[in-house]
Amino acid sequence: ICLDEYPYALQSTPRGEVPGASHRPRREDYEYDRHGRASLFIVFDPATGWREIVVRERHRRQEFAEVIQRLATVHYPEATEIRLVCDNLNTHSPAAFYEACSPDEARALTQRVSFHYTPKHGSWLNMAEIEWAILTREWLDRRLPDMATVQTEVDAWVAARNAAQATVRWRFTTTDARRWLERCYPNPAASNPS
Protein backbone atom coordinates (compact mmCIF):
# COMPACT_ATOMS: atom_id res chain seq x y z
CA ILE A 1 0.00 0.00 0.00
CA CYS A 2 1.39 3.40 -0.93
CA LEU A 3 0.77 6.32 1.44
CA ASP A 4 1.40 10.01 1.09
CA GLU A 5 0.12 13.35 2.41
CA TYR A 6 -0.75 16.51 0.60
CA PRO A 7 -1.22 19.95 2.19
CA TYR A 8 -4.09 21.94 0.73
CA ALA A 9 -4.73 25.65 1.37
CA LEU A 10 -8.40 26.41 2.01
CA GLN A 11 -9.27 29.56 0.07
CA SER A 12 -12.29 31.39 -1.28
CA THR A 13 -12.67 34.13 -3.84
CA PRO A 14 -14.48 37.08 -2.22
CA ARG A 15 -15.79 38.49 -5.50
CA GLY A 16 -16.67 35.11 -6.99
CA GLU A 17 -15.51 33.40 -10.14
CA VAL A 18 -15.83 34.67 -13.67
CA PRO A 19 -17.71 31.92 -15.49
CA GLY A 20 -16.17 30.41 -18.58
CA ALA A 21 -17.62 30.71 -22.05
CA SER A 22 -17.12 28.75 -25.24
CA HIS A 23 -14.24 31.01 -26.25
CA ARG A 24 -12.53 31.42 -22.85
CA PRO A 25 -11.89 29.23 -19.79
CA ARG A 26 -13.20 29.83 -16.28
CA ARG A 27 -11.19 32.50 -14.47
CA GLU A 28 -10.55 33.35 -10.83
CA ASP A 29 -9.85 36.74 -9.33
CA TYR A 30 -6.31 37.22 -8.03
CA GLU A 31 -7.75 38.24 -4.65
CA TYR A 32 -8.60 35.44 -2.21
CA ASP A 33 -9.40 34.84 1.45
CA ARG A 34 -7.51 32.19 3.40
CA HIS A 35 -9.45 29.80 5.60
CA GLY A 36 -6.62 27.66 6.97
CA ARG A 37 -5.16 24.43 5.70
CA ALA A 38 -6.22 20.85 5.29
CA SER A 39 -4.08 17.75 5.20
CA LEU A 40 -5.07 15.04 2.76
CA PHE A 41 -3.84 11.49 3.34
CA ILE A 42 -4.00 9.02 0.46
CA VAL A 43 -3.67 5.26 0.70
CA PHE A 44 -3.35 3.56 -2.67
CA ASP A 45 -3.21 -0.13 -3.57
CA PRO A 46 -1.54 -0.24 -7.00
CA ALA A 47 -2.30 -3.94 -7.47
CA THR A 48 -6.08 -3.48 -7.35
CA GLY A 49 -6.51 0.20 -8.24
CA TRP A 50 -8.20 0.98 -4.91
CA ARG A 51 -7.55 4.24 -3.10
CA GLU A 52 -8.94 6.26 -0.22
CA ILE A 53 -8.31 9.88 0.73
CA VAL A 54 -8.87 11.13 4.26
CA VAL A 55 -9.10 14.88 4.93
CA ARG A 56 -7.90 16.12 8.32
CA GLU A 57 -7.21 19.51 9.86
CA ARG A 58 -3.67 18.67 10.88
CA HIS A 59 -0.79 16.45 9.93
CA ARG A 60 0.62 14.83 13.04
CA ARG A 61 1.46 11.36 14.24
CA GLN A 62 -2.06 10.97 15.60
CA GLU A 63 -3.66 11.55 12.20
CA PHE A 64 -1.15 9.24 10.52
CA ALA A 65 -1.89 6.50 13.07
CA GLU A 66 -5.66 6.94 12.59
CA VAL A 67 -5.30 6.50 8.84
CA ILE A 68 -3.20 3.33 9.24
CA GLN A 69 -5.51 1.94 11.91
CA ARG A 70 -8.49 2.44 9.59
CA LEU A 71 -6.57 0.80 6.75
CA ALA A 72 -5.74 -2.22 8.91
CA THR A 73 -9.12 -2.69 10.61
CA VAL A 74 -11.63 -1.61 7.93
CA HIS A 75 -10.01 -2.29 4.56
CA TYR A 76 -7.53 -5.11 5.27
CA PRO A 77 -8.72 -6.82 8.47
CA GLU A 78 -7.57 -10.30 7.39
CA ALA A 79 -4.13 -9.24 6.16
CA THR A 80 -1.31 -10.67 8.26
CA GLU A 81 1.14 -8.12 6.86
CA ILE A 82 0.58 -4.71 5.32
CA ARG A 83 3.58 -3.42 3.40
CA LEU A 84 3.44 0.33 3.60
CA VAL A 85 5.45 2.43 1.12
CA CYS A 86 5.95 5.96 2.43
CA ASP A 87 8.54 8.72 2.63
CA ASN A 88 10.92 9.33 5.53
CA LEU A 89 8.78 11.89 7.33
CA ASN A 90 9.21 11.85 11.10
CA THR A 91 5.51 11.02 11.63
CA HIS A 92 5.80 7.81 9.58
CA SER A 93 6.96 5.40 12.23
CA PRO A 94 5.59 2.75 14.57
CA ALA A 95 6.00 5.28 17.41
CA ALA A 96 2.94 7.07 16.02
CA PHE A 97 0.80 4.03 16.88
CA TYR A 98 1.79 4.25 20.55
CA GLU A 99 0.86 7.94 20.69
CA ALA A 100 -2.60 7.46 19.18
CA CYS A 101 -3.72 3.97 20.21
CA SER A 102 -3.86 1.80 23.27
CA PRO A 103 -0.67 -0.21 23.92
CA ASP A 104 -2.30 -3.46 22.75
CA GLU A 105 -3.63 -1.90 19.53
CA ALA A 106 -0.28 -0.21 18.89
CA ARG A 107 1.60 -3.48 19.32
CA ALA A 108 -0.81 -5.28 16.99
CA LEU A 109 -0.37 -2.59 14.33
CA THR A 110 3.40 -2.64 14.75
CA GLN A 111 3.43 -6.39 14.14
CA ARG A 112 1.21 -6.15 11.05
CA VAL A 113 2.57 -3.05 9.30
CA SER A 114 6.03 -3.19 7.73
CA PHE A 115 7.43 0.16 6.65
CA HIS A 116 9.25 0.52 3.34
CA TYR A 117 10.67 4.00 3.03
CA THR A 118 11.43 5.67 -0.28
CA PRO A 119 14.99 7.00 -0.65
CA LYS A 120 15.66 10.49 0.64
CA HIS A 121 15.68 12.02 -2.84
CA GLY A 122 13.35 9.48 -4.36
CA SER A 123 9.89 10.11 -2.94
CA TRP A 124 8.70 10.13 -6.56
CA LEU A 125 9.13 6.33 -6.42
CA ASN A 126 5.97 6.21 -4.29
CA MET A 127 3.01 5.59 -6.61
CA ALA A 128 0.79 7.70 -4.34
CA GLU A 129 2.70 10.72 -5.72
CA ILE A 130 1.31 9.89 -9.18
CA GLU A 131 -2.20 9.81 -7.73
CA TRP A 132 -1.63 13.27 -6.21
CA ALA A 133 -0.56 14.63 -9.58
CA ILE A 134 -3.74 13.32 -11.21
CA LEU A 135 -5.97 14.58 -8.37
CA THR A 136 -4.38 18.02 -8.46
CA ARG A 137 -4.72 18.30 -12.22
CA GLU A 138 -8.30 16.99 -12.38
CA TRP A 139 -10.01 18.21 -9.20
CA LEU A 140 -7.98 20.40 -6.88
CA ASP A 141 -6.99 22.97 -9.48
CA ARG A 142 -9.33 25.59 -8.01
CA ARG A 143 -10.04 27.26 -4.70
CA LEU A 144 -12.13 25.39 -2.15
CA PRO A 145 -13.18 27.24 1.02
CA ASP A 146 -13.61 24.53 3.68
CA MET A 147 -12.80 20.96 4.63
CA ALA A 148 -16.33 19.70 3.95
CA THR A 149 -16.14 20.91 0.35
CA VAL A 150 -12.68 19.41 -0.08
CA GLN A 151 -13.91 16.06 1.31
CA THR A 152 -16.94 16.10 -1.02
CA GLU A 153 -14.80 16.88 -4.08
CA VAL A 154 -12.17 14.29 -3.16
CA ASP A 155 -14.82 11.61 -2.46
CA ALA A 156 -16.30 12.12 -5.94
CA TRP A 157 -12.86 11.80 -7.54
CA VAL A 158 -12.02 8.69 -5.47
CA ALA A 159 -15.35 7.05 -6.36
CA ALA A 160 -14.74 7.61 -10.09
CA ARG A 161 -11.14 6.32 -9.94
CA ASN A 162 -12.11 3.29 -7.83
CA ALA A 163 -15.04 2.46 -10.13
CA ALA A 164 -12.64 2.50 -13.09
CA GLN A 165 -10.08 0.52 -11.04
CA ALA A 166 -7.53 2.96 -12.37
CA THR A 167 -4.04 1.87 -11.47
CA VAL A 168 -0.54 3.02 -12.28
CA ARG A 169 1.26 1.51 -15.24
CA TRP A 170 4.69 1.44 -13.66
CA ARG A 171 7.50 1.52 -16.21
CA PHE A 172 10.39 2.12 -13.82
CA THR A 173 12.59 -0.98 -13.68
CA THR A 174 15.29 -2.16 -11.30
CA THR A 175 17.87 -1.36 -13.98
CA ASP A 176 16.54 2.20 -14.18
CA ALA A 177 16.70 2.52 -10.39
CA ARG A 178 20.32 1.37 -10.26
CA ARG A 179 21.28 3.81 -13.01
CA TRP A 180 19.35 6.84 -11.68
CA LEU A 181 20.06 6.38 -7.99
CA GLU A 182 23.72 5.37 -8.27
CA ARG A 183 24.87 8.87 -7.26
CA CYS A 184 22.73 8.81 -4.10
CA TYR A 185 23.72 5.29 -3.06
CA PRO A 186 27.18 4.48 -4.41
CA ASN A 187 28.22 0.86 -4.32
CA PRO A 188 31.59 0.62 -2.52
CA ALA A 189 32.25 -2.86 -3.96
CA ALA A 190 31.94 -1.54 -7.52
CA SER A 191 34.51 1.19 -6.93
CA ASN A 192 37.05 -1.21 -5.38
CA PRO A 193 38.07 -3.70 -8.12
CA SER A 194 39.84 -6.33 -6.03
Side-chain angles (χ1 to χ4, degrees):
I1 305 296
C2 300
L3 176 133
D4 200 19
E5 301 88 7
Y6 183 76
Y8 186 76
L10 301 173
Q11 302 173 343
S12 64
T13 305
R15 293 189 281 190
E17 293 182 353
V18 178
S22 61
H23 61 280
R24 73 168 191 268
R26 171 186 58 84
R27 296 180 289 174
E28 288 182 336
D29 189 12
Y30 67 90
E31 188 177 325
Y32 62 89
D33 290 334
R34 288 206 54 160
H35 302 285
R37 296 177 67 83
S39 290
L40 285 69
F41 293 81
I42 186 170
V43 287
F44 173 58
D45 184 349
T48 63
W50 172 84
R51 77 230 355 104
E52 180 179 62
I53 298 178
V54 179
V55 180
R56 294 287 185 256
E57 283 185 33
R58 300 191 59 194
H59 175 228
R60 301 172 300 175
R61 288 182 180 198
Q62 289 85 354
E63 286 81 12
F64 170 75
E66 288 172 13
V67 169
I68 300 304
Q69 187 175 27
R70 177 175 166 74
L71 178 72
T73 57
V74 175
H75 299 293
Y76 295 95
E78 275 87 44
T80 56
E81 180 185 16
I82 297 172
R83 295 181 184 151
L84 187 67
V85 177
C86 56
D87 55 18
N88 289 306
L89 194 62
N90 63 347
T91 59
H92 298 166
S93 72
F97 303 149
Y98 289 94
E99 288 185 22
C101 307
S102 71
D104 292 337
E105 291 173 325
R107 179 153 172 75
L109 281 173
T110 302
Q111 291 175 340
R112 287 181 62 202
V113 177
S114 64
F115 288 84
H116 299 272
Y117 298 106
T118 57
K120 185 176 179 181
H121 299 290
S123 65
W124 51 271
L125 291 168
N126 187 344
M127 290 185 208
E129 296 266 349
I130 297 168
E131 289 293 304
W132 283 136
I134 296 167
L135 173 67
T136 303
R137 186 175 59 241
E138 292 180 355
W139 287 80
L140 296 179
D141 62 344
R142 61 195 184 286
R143 296 176 184 151
L144 300 174
D146 54 44
M147 288 184 38
T149 306
V150 172
Q151 187 71 64
T152 301
E153 293 289 324
V154 164
D155 287 346
W157 181 82
V158 165
R161 296 277 293 171
N162 283 344
Q165 292 182 329
T167 189
V168 173
R169 197 176 85 199
W170 194 246
R171 292 183 263 169
F172 192 70
T173 64
T174 305
T175 305
D176 293 335
R178 288 197 174 108
R179 183 173 38 109
W180 288 20
L181 300 172
E182 184 177 26
R183 292 177 317 206
C184 299
Y185 304 99
N187 184 355
S191 62
N192 188 1
S194 53

